[in-house]
């Protein structure tokens, strides 16, 4: 077995001998700098690809932000498959991730019914076995959701009024109290790590929301019409691949009153008016109120994601 990075973009065909749902994005990711050949590794025996791994970052990013491709040849005997995966994961990580830096989170997209599908479940378990040997643990399972044109969007009811977000502090003033009682696993992990609510909100803003090139003028704050009291917010955006509902929050004092439906509808209307081919969103499997709101708004669960972290 020989483990090495790709020599250049022209080896993408070699890397693609194993398959995954992100394969159609790899060439453009390489062209735009979201991936680098030295961050894409393979384990080989002769010309056979036994395993592969790749990290991702934002265009021009200086360090990998996510591990999002990790595959093993599922036709290999279990022991050989695990050996190839483990050797590749450890060797490539040592070369790609700066010594002492935290390992980027690993995420894998899986079918929505993966537990009930023996083949899909076997794929997940084969990779999980290798990941856990390196100390990775499942942080959260998430629903991946999609709205398609033609799906009805609720008209404004007048219960809330919406205004654009003024600036970073305007939104952070609402993101901070939303941390109270949050059901989002990543936010809960940030708070458990010792961050205060404001610090966790700033981390979310600076590491995700600030990076969207789409207009911040799309972002909305929901208020009560009579008093102007803020109720929540929604962040419609476009990432590198799709238009998305990036973030939606309802302040603790206003939860349980149905405002989430009105706020989600506003974000959906803003993007739907652009005649986009789809709107994507995601929420934790355990965040039942948010998942139910997306279902009521016509978003379909087309996939799930499994997110693993290393302590």
């Amino acid at each position: 077995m020989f483990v090495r990075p790709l020599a250049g973009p022209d080896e993408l065909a070699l890397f693609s001998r194993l398959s995954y749902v992100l394969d159609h994005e790899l060439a453009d990711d390489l062209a735009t700098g979201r991936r680098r050949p030295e961050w894409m590794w393979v384990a080989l025996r002769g010309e056979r690809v036994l395993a592969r791994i790749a990290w991702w970052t934002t265009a021009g990013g200086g360090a990998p932000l996510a591990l999002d491709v990790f595959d093993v040849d599922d036709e290999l005997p279990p022991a050989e498959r695990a050996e190839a995966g483990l050797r590749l994961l450890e060797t490539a990580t040592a070369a790609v991730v700066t010594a002492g830096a935290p390992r980027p989170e690993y995420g894998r997209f899986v079918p929505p019914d993966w537990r009930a599908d023996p083949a899909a479940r076997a794929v997940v378990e084969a990779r999980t076995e290798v990941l856990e040997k390196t100390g990775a643990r499942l942080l959260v399972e998430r629903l991946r959701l999609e709205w398609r044109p033609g799906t009805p969007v609720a008209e404004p009811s007048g219960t809330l009024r919406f205004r654009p977000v003024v600036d970073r502090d305007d939104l952070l003033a609402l993101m901070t109290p939303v941390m109270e009682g949050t059901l989002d696993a990543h936010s809960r992990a940030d708070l458990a790590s010792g961050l205060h609510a404001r610090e966790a909100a700033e981390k979310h803003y600076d590491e995700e929301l600030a990076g969207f090139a789409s207009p911040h003028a799309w972002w909305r704050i929901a208020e009560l019409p009579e008093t102007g009291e803020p109720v929540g917010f929604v962040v419609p955006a476009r990432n590198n691949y799709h238009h998305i509902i990036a973030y939606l929050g309802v302040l603790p004092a206003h939860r349980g009153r149905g405002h989430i439906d009105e706020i989600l509808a506003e974000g959906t209307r803003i993007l739907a008016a652009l005649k986009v081919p789809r709107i994507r969103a995601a929420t934790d499997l355990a965040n039942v109120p948010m998942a139910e709101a997306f279902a009521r708004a016509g978003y379909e669960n087309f996939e799930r994601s499994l997110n693993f972290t290393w302590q």
Side-chain angles (χ1 to χ4, degrees):
M1 190 190 329
F2 184 60
V3 174
R4 67 169 177 85
L6 298 189
D10 57 333
E11 285 201 310
L12 185 56
L14 171 71
F15 191 78
S16 299
R17 289 179 188 172
L18 298 181
S19 63
Y20 178 52
V21 295
L22 294 182
D23 287 351
H24 67 286
E25 298 175 355
L26 298 177
D28 188 60
D29 283 347
L30 280 166
T32 57
R34 293 189 291 264
R35 297 188 194 275
R36 302 177 186 176
E38 62 267 28
W39 294 354
M40 304 174 72
W41 286 60
V42 288
L44 301 169
R45 177 169 290 122
E47 292 298 311
R48 183 175 181 177
V49 177
L50 307 180
R52 67 175 188 169
I53 193 169
W55 284 263
W56 177 96
T57 191
T58 54
L65 296 179
L67 171 60
D68 61 347
V69 177
F70 177 52
D71 290 301
V72 292
D73 184 343
D74 291 295
E75 295 183 0
L76 291 170
E80 187 177 351
R81 182 180 62 204
E83 178 190 0
L86 182 60
R87 181 172 167 188
L88 175 66
L89 177 57
E90 293 292 68
T91 303
T93 299
V96 172
V97 179
T98 302
R103 292 192 184 199
E105 184 175 298
Y106 169 64
R108 184 171 185 89
F109 299 146
V110 297
D113 61 346
W114 69 272
R115 285 187 176 82
D117 180 340
R121 184 165 185 160
V123 167
V124 171
E125 290 175 346
R127 287 143 186 80
T128 300
E129 176 188 355
V130 176
L131 291 162
E132 290 182 341
K133 287 180 179 178
T134 69
R137 296 294 180 266
L138 180 67
L139 173 67
V140 64
E141 182 170 342
R142 309 196 82 208
L143 304 176
R144 283 170 50 79
L145 308 158
E146 184 172 272
W147 179 94
R148 286 278 186 169
T151 305
V153 182
E155 293 296 325
S157 69
T159 304
L160 300 174
R161 72 182 183 197
F162 293 89
R163 66 169 178 84
V165 173
V166 175
D167 55 23
R168 179 178 184 271
D169 286 338
D170 190 29
L171 187 58
L172 283 173
L174 303 183
M175 290 175 65
T176 300
V178 161
M179 291 289 171
E180 178 185 332
T182 180
L183 297 176
D184 180 82
H186 286 89
S187 295
R188 291 167 69 94
D190 285 337
L191 295 173
S193 74
L195 293 182
H196 297 298
R198 174 74 181 199
E199 293 170 327
E202 289 174 342
K203 179 175 182 284
H204 187 167
Y205 187 101
D206 295 336
E207 293 185 359
E208 181 183 359
L209 306 187
F212 293 128
S214 53
H216 291 191
W218 294 350
W219 303 2
R220 292 290 184 270
I221 289 176
E223 300 174 335
L224 296 177
E226 304 83 4
T227 63
E229 180 183 352
V231 169
F233 58 87
V234 63
V235 178
R238 193 189 191 289
N239 62 19
N240 293 294
Y241 310 99
H242 306 283
H243 288 84
I244 61 171
I245 300 295
Y247 195 19
L248 189 159
V250 180
L251 272 66
H254 296 281
R255 290 173 181 161
R257 302 179 185 180
H259 293 315
I260 189 173
D261 294 318
E262 188 84 2
I263 296 172
L264 176 57
E266 176 70 6
T268 303
R269 281 192 295 268
I270 289 169
L271 296 180
L274 303 173
K275 308 299 183 183
V276 300
R278 68 189 63 82
I279 302 172
R280 292 274 175 92
T283 191
D284 292 3
L285 180 63
N287 193 342
V288 175
M290 190 71 74
E292 291 179 342
F294 276 110
R296 290 192 296 269
Y299 286 73
E300 295 188 2
N301 174 211
F302 72 97
E303 212 167 46
R304 293 190 183 186
S305 67
L306 304 175
N307 297 83
F308 291 80
T309 57
W310 286 263
Q311 297 300 321

